């Protein structure tokens, strides 16, 4: 009949979630965590060519659209990488003045697995790379005038469709990378 003390500190119970969330110091009161924000991020964005790269995963499968974008503060001029609301799709698109110029997609075995996604955009030269493999190309499409794209957002550019997921790495390249560079960048 040994008697001993057990002390537990820093534990967190997750109720009603299929995934873990982060620790929130409450200091005796109930607190709800705000969504993550990317403050004072000022990447150099080239509207005429470049690569949007993200090493990401969703928190849960098929839970609505979750989006990362380069944009001009609107949804009309945009480069976007997003998880679709169904079928484990990762979709990359460009829109110029509201008109879709390129749309490429990858069907993942699971949205909750980490994927290295690179989307290259350049006049008449778009390509999607996932996990070291070129998934698709589109050789017809326009891009924006110089200086059009000015923002990097974890949403569609207007505040809606926020990206809820894990982001291990996020990069904006201000020039279109070569196939060899894209292979090296996205290889797991």
């Amino acid at each position: 009949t040994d008697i001993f003390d057990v002390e537990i500190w820093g534990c967190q119970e997750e109720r009603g979630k299929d995934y873990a969330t982060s620790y929130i110091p409450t200091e005796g009161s109930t607190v709800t965590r705000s969504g993550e924000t990317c403050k004072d991020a000022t990447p150099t964005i080239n509207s005429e060519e470049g690569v949007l790269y993200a090493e990401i995963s969703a928190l849960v499968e098929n839970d609505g659209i979750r989006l990362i974008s380069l944009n001009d503060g609107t949804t009309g001029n945009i480069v976007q990488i997003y998880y679709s609301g169904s079928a484990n799709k990762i979709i990359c698109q460009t829109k110029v003045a509201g008109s879709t110029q390129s749309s490429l997609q990858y069907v993942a075995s699971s949205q909750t697995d980490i994927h290295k996604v690179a989307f290259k955009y350049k006049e008449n030269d778009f390509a999607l790379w996932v996990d070291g493999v070129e998934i698709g190309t589109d050789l017809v499409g326009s891009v924006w005038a110089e200086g059009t794209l000015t923002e990097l957002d974890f949403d569609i550019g207007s505040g809606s469709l926020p990206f809820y997921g894990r982001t291990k790495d996020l990069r904006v390249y201000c020039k279109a990378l070569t196939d060899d560079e894209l292979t090296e960048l996205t290889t797991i």
Side-chain angles (χ1 to χ4, degrees), residues 85-104:
S86 63
N88 291 339
K89 291 181 185 174
I90 299 171
I91 300 173
C92 296
Q93 287 185 335
T94 59
K95 291 184 182 181
V96 176
S99 177
T100 300
Q101 298 298 306
S102 177
S103 184
L104 300 168

Side-chain angles (χ1 to χ4, degrees), residues 4 25 45 69 86 95 109 114 129 131 151 156 166:
F4 55 90
I45 301 172
S69 69
S86 63
K95 291 184 182 181
S109 59
I114 290 284
W129 289 74
D131 299 336
E151 297 182 18
I156 198 167
R166 294 176 188 90

